[in-house]
Amino acid sequence: MLNQLLLYHMIFSDELVKWYNENKRDLPWRHTTDAYMIWLSEVILQQTRVEQGLPYFYRFAEKYPTINSFAAADEADILKLWQGLGYYSRGRNMLKTARMVRDEFGGKFPERYDDLIKLKGIGEYTAAAIASFSVNEPRAVVDGNVYRVLARYLGINEPINSTAGKKLFQATANDFLNMKNPGLHNQAMMEFGAMLCKPKNPACGICPVRIGCYAFVHNATTSLPVKLSKLKIKQRFFNYFLFTDADRVLMNKRGEGDIWANMYDLPLIETSTLLSPEELFALPETKKHFSERPEIVTISDVKKHVLTHQHLYIRFITIAKQPIEIKQKWGFIKVENLEKLPLSKPIFLFLDNFLN
DNA sequence: AATGCGGGGAA
DNA sequence: TTCCCAGCATT
């Protein structure tokens, strides 16, 4: 019996590659071995579904066809093109990496794992992906798909987000790597996980490797992979002020160390609970910003905006035009220049609705 | 080892 | 609602 299982494991990669060749999606980055283009696609696809990232890939590839054109961009330009995709540090790190490649690699994007891993925003997964897809360097990728496929196929109970689990899954992926064609093997593993061995309702009925699969044989696909607890959700209440002056809007540039770093939003008072307008304007922090109590024109309903780790309850308060002194370093932006600024999703939706 | 960082699609 | 997606950086 054990020998039989080992036999299945030996042809596991071949079966997946065969399945991949017959069922793969036609995606633009699968037609190139250009490390720069592969890097573009891989970073965009970090924690992001293919369907969501695809339009962004096209836009970036068109606007920045070379690493040097990317390196010459401003951070605001990159963030603007990244707008709506989330995890904006990816965009900021890409710019750092692009400039590093331009300045320290002579503008040729690295293709070897050991070079790639040193770059900003490139971790073990992305380095292995770029190296194997571009020059077939034998590095096994381990992403969410690979965790799931291996956990189910081998019946691994170790939590995928524990330190021991990460080491175990990386080692296991290395063992299974097809050394003849690492790039194809990696693509096949991930496509298989994304299309067939899905998180919910995996298509075991048409699975080419189910006969050797622990989870299929033991009916355990719903309990594998194992993942440790979830994080606590923080509740935050954002009171945004809309103050317009002729053809300008008072805007705020966000700092580092919080969500939406270096992006733009409106003047903001954050509270830990939901306050009435009266309570809000009685706050010392609010008074600090306005020399006199602003007149409220309209006040929106509180809208919930869900992030992975926090829930934002956002309210927009439109303030009447009056000769109040703005004491904060907020700045007026002309309406026609708003479209150049990188905006968070809720701010974009609000301004888009307000102005159009 | 634990936490922060977006937004959206699927069930 | 809950899960999780071609993860990484920081502390």
Side-chain angles (χ1 to χ4, degrees):
Chain A
M1 281 303 122
L2 182 59
N3 288 340
Q4 186 65 46
L5 205 52
L6 283 174
L7 202 60
Y8 292 141
H9 292 183
M10 285 175 65
I11 60 169
F12 176 74
S13 177
D14 293 334
E15 290 293 329
L16 287 198
V17 168
K18 197 167 85 181
W19 175 89
Y20 175 74
N21 284 328
E22 292 167 4
N23 298 282
K24 68 181 172 189
R25 290 168 289 183
D26 183 22
L27 300 171
W29 46 86
R30 288 183 174 158
H31 297 292
T32 181
T33 56
D34 178 0
Y36 167 68
M37 283 297 167
I38 295 170
W39 167 69
L40 215 50
S41 71
E42 288 304 333
V43 177
I44 286 173
L45 292 174
Q46 285 167 7
Q47 292 291 287
T48 304
R49 294 167 194 278
V50 168
E51 312 84 71
Q52 190 188 359
L54 196 52
Y56 287 84
F57 174 79
Y58 284 126
R59 290 197 281 269
F60 270 94
E62 166 143 22
K63 184 162 183 184
Y64 306 112
T66 64
I67 184 68
N68 285 326
S69 62
F70 197 114
D74 292 328
E75 186 179 85
D77 296 331
I78 299 299
L79 288 175
K80 185 63 192 177
L81 207 52
W82 202 270
Q83 179 176 293
L85 193 55
Y87 284 158
Y88 298 94
S89 65
R90 291 183 289 173
R92 297 195 300 273
N93 283 333
M94 281 184 105
L95 185 55
K96 291 177 189 165
T97 282
R99 290 175 176 171
M100 208 179 304
V101 170
R102 178 192 62 192
D103 299 337
E104 295 170 29
F105 290 86
K108 174 163 170 52
F109 206 94
E111 296 170 327
R112 309 302 301 191
Y113 182 94
D114 290 335
D115 292 326
L116 291 161
I117 196 69
K118 297 172 188 160
L119 299 171
K120 280 286 181 188
I122 297 183
E124 287 182 47
Y125 163 77
T126 305
I130 298 173
S132 67
F133 299 162
S134 64
V135 295
N136 248 330
E137 182 174 333
R139 298 279 184 171
V141 297
V142 181
D143 74 335
N145 294 306
V146 176
Y147 279 123
R148 186 169 55 255
V149 171
L150 291 178
R152 286 177 176 167
Y153 189 72
L154 298 173
I156 300 176
N157 285 318
E158 198 68 32
I160 61 173
N161 54 345
S162 68
T163 303
K166 285 175 189 165
K167 283 177 68 175
L168 175 60
F169 278 93
Q170 181 68 60
T172 308
N174 294 345
D175 287 343
F176 271 79
L177 182 62
N178 181 340
M179 303 300 281
K180 290 257 167 67
N181 203 332
L184 198 55
H185 167 94
N186 282 336
Q187 293 272 17
M189 287 282 286
M190 291 192 288
E191 188 76 344
F192 179 77
M195 306 291 292
L196 198 154
C197 196
K198 299 174 292 181
K200 289 172 184 168
N201 303 325
C204 299
I206 57 168
C207 176
V209 295
R210 63 176 181 175
I211 191 68
C213 175
Y214 176 93
F216 175 72
V217 172
H218 296 85
N219 202 13
T221 52
T222 54
S223 58
L224 291 172
V226 176
K227 195 170 184 178
L228 250 41
S229 66
K230 36 179 183 191
L231 33 86
K232 269 206 313 197
I233 305 285
K234 194 197 303 177
Q235 316 282 323
R236 303 172 72 180
F237 296 82
F238 281 12
N239 302 281
Y240 278 123
F241 297 97
L242 179 68
F243 185 79
T244 57
D245 171 17
D247 59 342
R248 304 182 304 169
V249 181
L250 192 61
M251 299 293 291
N252 170 56
K253 183 175 182 181
R254 299 181 61 81
E256 309 269 2
D258 197 0
I259 58 173
W260 305 322
N262 297 355
M263 299 175 73
Y264 290 81
D265 59 2
L266 297 167
L268 168 66
I269 301 294
E270 179 177 352
T271 57
S272 56
T273 57
L274 182 61
L275 299 183
S276 69
E278 297 308 320
E279 293 170 315
L280 183 62
F281 283 109
L283 289 178
E285 190 188 346
T286 313
K287 288 181 174 171
K288 192 177 72 187
H289 292 304
F290 303 105
S291 59
E292 54 184 281
R293 190 192 190 295
E295 180 191 337
I296 298 174
V297 177
T298 60
I299 179 161
S300 74
D301 290 336
V302 175
K303 189 153 188 212
K304 186 176 178 181
H305 184 75
V306 176
L307 306 181
T308 302
H309 46 287
Q310 48 189 286
H311 290 175
L312 309 180
Y313 297 87
I314 301 177
R315 174 165 64 191
F316 294 96
I317 301 167
T318 305
I319 301 172
K321 211 161 97 176
Q322 57 182 286
I324 65 171
E325 183 190 347
I326 305 299
K327 294 185 176 177
Q328 181 78 348
K329 57 164 192 165
W330 298 326
F332 281 102
I333 303 282
K334 288 198 170 181
V335 169
E336 63 258 38
N337 291 330
L338 275 180
E339 62 183 23
K340 295 177 186 164
L341 300 182
L343 308 172
S344 66
K345 200 69 179 179
I347 296 296
F348 173 78
L349 289 177
F350 174 75
L351 288 178
D352 195 49
N353 183 273
F354 177 78
L355 298 168
N356 301 317

